[in-house]
Amino acid sequence: MHRFLLTPRWWGINVFVALAIPVCLFMGSWQLGRFEDRVGSHREATAQRPADLTAAPLDSLLPVTTETSGRLASTAGEYGRQLLVPERQLDGREGFYVLTLLRTDSGRTLPVVRGWLPGPADAAKAPTPPTGRVEVSGALQSSENSGTKGVHSQGGLPEGQLGVIGSATLVNLVPDPLYDAWLTVQTPVDGMTPVPAKAPNNTGLDLKAFQNLGYTGEWFVFVAFVIFMWFRLYRREVETLRDAEAGLLPATPDATTGPDAGADATADAGAAPDAATGSDADAPDPATATARPGR
């Protein structure tokens, strides 16, 4: 009964199932691993760092990676132009960052967020940066982009304000080469609140992390669906063979014995007398012929 499994059609079905199941399992496991990596990076980014952790030279921590993001970095130079970064929340309150461009001793410019202030962005509220050469240390952060959570990416900001902290948005404002990173000072400065370090891009419990978790479930559902469809096709094939062996399948109508054959035969039989004797309208009436007098 199960010889149908060796037919070319079922060979194709079996090969497809044998390949689809491991592929779906692999993709589901990979997406689950991505989710676990994001959870682990989120825990590392939000973990309390030792208070006596010394700052490392800025250039030794570049480029910014998941391992170096949030690390304390130090550099020196002179503060220059100051910008405000509006619509930034801290502890559930709306405010703005005070960002000052630091021209380092290497000749490259580094954005430094010196702190956060509540309320709408107002240049009059922002403390002026120190003059002369300064040494700065802060948490190293990777450049933001338009997809970073919490940034103002619509544009249309007034002069002196910046929506996204990154070299791509500052390249037209700064004549010097830019670092593809920025620092956030972790000690209180001029009454401003320090901005805590954020998790690296594409890490943490953000929307992408839960998308990975959703994709994991989808791939495992695909495995169950493939198995279900194979079993359904197999059961239908077996039931069809059993019905055929028991004679339960309807016979195919024959052209000579079908229901239309009887009707055609009756019609032919009714038309036969007319063909042999002619039409009744042409035959003489016997009664009329007898009663007619002769001449």
Side-chain angles (χ1 to χ4, degrees), residues 2 17 21 39 108 120 128 161 168 194-195 228 236 249 253 257 260 265 269 280 284:
H2 295 85
V17 172
I21 290 177
V39 172
R108 302 172 68 183
T128 57
Q161 294 188 19
V195 176
F228 168 76
R236 187 175 66 178
L249 295 179
T257 61
D260 295 336
D280 293 342

Side-chain angles (χ1 to χ4, degrees), residues 79-80 82 98 100 114 117 123-131 189-190 192:
Y79 280 124
Q82 186 159 278
V98 178
T100 309
R114 298 194 298 122
L117 290 173
K125 297 180 181 179
T128 57
T131 58
V189 179
D190 296 333
M192 294 183 290

